Amino acid sequence: MHAMDLLYARAQMGMSLAFHIIFAAAGIALPLLMVLSDLKARRTGDADYVTLSRKLAKGTAILFAVGAVSGTVLSFELGLLWPEFMGTYGEVIGLPFSLEGTAFFTEAVFLGIYLYGRDRIPSGLHLFSGVMVALSGAASAFFVTLVNVFMNHPSGFTPTPGGPVNVDPVAAMFSPGWQYQVVHTLLACYQSSAFAMAGIHALVLLRHPGATFHRKALSIALPMACITALLQPLAGHQSAEHIAREQPAKLAAAEGLFETQRGAPLTVGGLPDEESRTTRYGLEIPKGLSVLAFTDPNAEVKGLDQFPRDEWPPVLKVHLAFDLMVGAGGAMALLAVVTLFLRWRHKAWPEGRRVLWGWLLCGPLGVVAMEAGWLVTEWGRQPWIIRGVMRTADAVTPVPNLAVPFWTFTLVYLFLGAMVVFLLVRQVAGTLPGHDEPREVSHAH
């Protein structure tokens, strides 16, 4: 296999996943926001919340459709680009793939009922369909994340030169540490979508301070954004503790730790250099990494020196992605604390321009942190596609000229992304002052 073809295969898979994860996250979080809007409409009788739930339902449908297309492409890419992985270990990890497909179809069915059943079915059944959309979306993310957990910490089989034996699909599906990564992933989906929604409505309110619809929409997004922003660092810390125990090479790369140390420092920023085995320009917090990883200031943390050189992850990329994730998460948590303090102090969600600017600027950070965290997970596992069992280079297809599908799919994704932006902008524009849609409260509510 030519090295460039391996690079193109990895780049195509990475681009496809980076594109898909945005729409998958929205498909998980927007239905919950949609249901919360419906519940608010039921409680208050306010037509603005009915309009918001309609808008969120249409947005969910748009993003769900694009997510379905990109997810279908991914399923083909798994088989076509990585035939050795799927051919050898498909029987081991096929169960969560099958269950994810079931959750996907369930979500599609109930989304159809929710979209077209308004005013046609009893209001309780309509709300139930919305709840099922939200639960099915979360279930899809749950099962897909279990596959990634298996790739990072394989279990449920005995590896042999001829392939896996003693296969236990349930044990493989629930590989060690599954609970930490699942919680971290689901929170990232809700957080990124809520922050994006808050940022959009903050932008409108900065330009149109009297837009009451967007003020109410912000009041739906802010609670989810603040809660997830505060829970996510706790979930991330638990996940990091598990990685320190079970995937020490990944932690060492994320922290740029080349030498095994007792009382290892926590390095903030800096540029790891694999040749000199040092991390330059970083700010070191004495014994910080030992405390965070093992809750013991004198605990030993394994460095990259404990692993063969050809099993090191790409240290610079993992470290920079990790710092970006932590930095974005810290900024969002700080904004959440400020917002909740003002909410407690004034007994209402803050509407001042400074706070709105904060939410506008932090709006994209949820997606940034989610993408960076995914890169840490994937880059940190290299050079393995299944850690310690199968190398990425051994799983790739022998078919040459992979540059052609890479550039083809890149153009397809650019087109799909442009169409999504266009459609979502039209959805938001329909709620601007002077462009309001009719807001009669539906009989279903």
Side-chain angles (χ1 to χ4, degrees):
M1 176 90 198
H2 194 277
M4 283 303 295
D5 284 325
L6 174 60
L7 180 62
Y8 273 119
R10 290 184 60 198
Q12 183 174 334
M13 199 70 193
M15 178 188 63
S16 299
L17 281 164
F19 183 85
H20 176 71
I21 196 172
I22 297 174
F23 300 98
I28 294 161
L30 287 189
L32 179 55
L33 291 162
M34 175 183 79
V35 168
L36 293 173
S37 302
D38 250 343
L39 289 171
K40 196 70 177 284
R42 284 165 162 263
R43 193 167 74 248
T44 64
D46 191 326
D48 277 326
Y49 291 111
V50 177
T51 302
L52 178 60
S53 70
R54 289 179 185 271
K55 291 286 182 184
L56 288 170
K58 290 178 181 177
T60 299
I62 293 168
L63 296 166
F64 180 83
V66 177
V69 172
S70 58
T72 302
V73 170
L74 273 171
S75 66
F76 281 111
E77 287 179 351
L78 273 173
L80 294 175
L81 293 177
W82 313 101
E84 288 300 317
F85 167 58
M86 294 303 295
T88 306
Y89 291 94
E91 63 172 316
V92 182
I93 199 59
L95 181 58
F97 278 123
S98 302
L99 293 173
E100 191 277 333
T102 302
F104 171 80
F105 285 117
T106 303
E107 184 178 6
V109 168
F110 281 104
L111 180 58
I113 295 172
Y114 188 88
L115 283 169
Y116 301 108
R118 194 185 294 268
D119 303 329
R120 293 182 176 87
I121 60 176
S123 61
L125 186 57
H126 182 255
L127 181 64
F128 172 77
S129 66
V131 172
M132 289 304 297
V133 174
L135 290 176
S136 301
S140 291
F142 173 75
F143 292 124
V144 168
T145 304
L146 292 180
V147 176
N148 190 261
V149 174
F150 167 82
M151 294 167 74
N152 282 291
H153 194 149
S155 64
F157 68 98
T158 302
T160 71
V165 297
N166 302 324
V167 175
D168 182 346
V170 175
M173 186 167 76
F174 293 102
S175 293
W178 66 268
Q179 63 272 40
Y180 306 119
Q181 192 166 331
V182 163
V183 171
H184 198 43
T185 300
L186 285 173
L187 282 175
C189 293
Y190 294 120
Q191 182 179 6
S192 59
S193 300
F195 266 80
M197 179 176 168
I200 290 168
H201 293 292
L203 172 62
V204 175
L205 286 170
L206 285 167
R207 298 179 64 183
H208 305 279
T212 57
F213 170 83
H214 293 276
R215 188 175 297 115
K216 294 170 185 175
L218 196 62
S219 74
I220 295 292
L222 287 182
M224 181 186 291
C226 290
I227 291 170
T228 53
L230 296 180
L231 289 178
Q232 187 64 289
L234 301 177
H237 174 63
Q238 287 189 316
S239 183
E241 286 183 324
H242 174 75
I243 290 171
R245 295 191 303 271
E246 306 296 341
Q247 302 173 54
K250 179 182 290 186
L251 179 71
E255 288 293 338
L257 185 69
F258 290 93
E259 303 295 333
T260 301
Q261 298 182 43
R262 288 193 175 275
L266 180 69
T267 303
V268 180
L271 298 173
D273 183 346
E274 294 185 23
E275 296 304 318
S276 65
R277 301 195 176 197
T278 58
T279 300
R280 294 175 292 184
Y281 315 119
L283 173 65
E284 290 191 352
I285 301 173
K287 300 190 177 184
L289 184 57
S290 291
V291 171
L292 287 177
F294 298 103
T295 323
D296 178 0
N298 297 311
E300 180 179 273
V301 181
K302 287 185 179 180
L304 290 165
D305 61 333
Q306 295 293 306
F307 306 94
R309 182 67 181 81
D310 65 347
E311 293 182 11
W312 285 14
V315 183
L316 177 62
K317 292 194 289 187
V318 176
H319 179 70
L320 292 178
F322 183 74
D323 278 357
L324 181 59
M325 176 190 70
V326 173
M332 289 186 286
L334 178 61
L335 179 60
V337 169
V338 171
T339 302
L340 290 173
F341 172 75
L342 293 173
R343 171 74 175 82
W344 168 78
R345 187 175 181 181
H346 300 294
K347 311 302 180 187
W349 290 107
E351 300 173 6
R353 291 187 66 82
R354 288 183 179 178
V355 175
L356 291 177
W357 268 108
W359 282 99
L360 173 59
L361 295 174
C362 288
L365 291 187
V367 173
V368 170
M370 181 173 64
E371 295 280 14
W374 171 74
L375 288 174
V376 171
T377 299
E378 299 304 294
W379 279 337
R381 189 180 63 246
Q382 296 305 315
W384 306 99
I385 191 166
I386 303 177
R387 188 175 62 86
V389 176
M390 177 181 280
R391 287 178 178 263
T392 306
D394 296 332
V396 73
T397 176
V399 176
N401 301 317
L402 295 181
V404 175
F406 171 79
W407 290 112
T408 302
F409 280 109
T410 298
L411 293 174
V412 170
Y413 289 139
L414 287 172
F415 172 74
L416 285 173
M419 288 302 298
V420 168
V421 171
F422 172 74
L423 292 170
L424 292 181
V425 167
R426 286 192 63 185
Q427 288 292 311
V428 175
T431 61
L432 294 176
H435 297 85
D436 292 324
E437 296 179 351
R439 292 186 187 167
E440 294 84 7
V441 178
S442 69
H443 296 298
H445 297 287

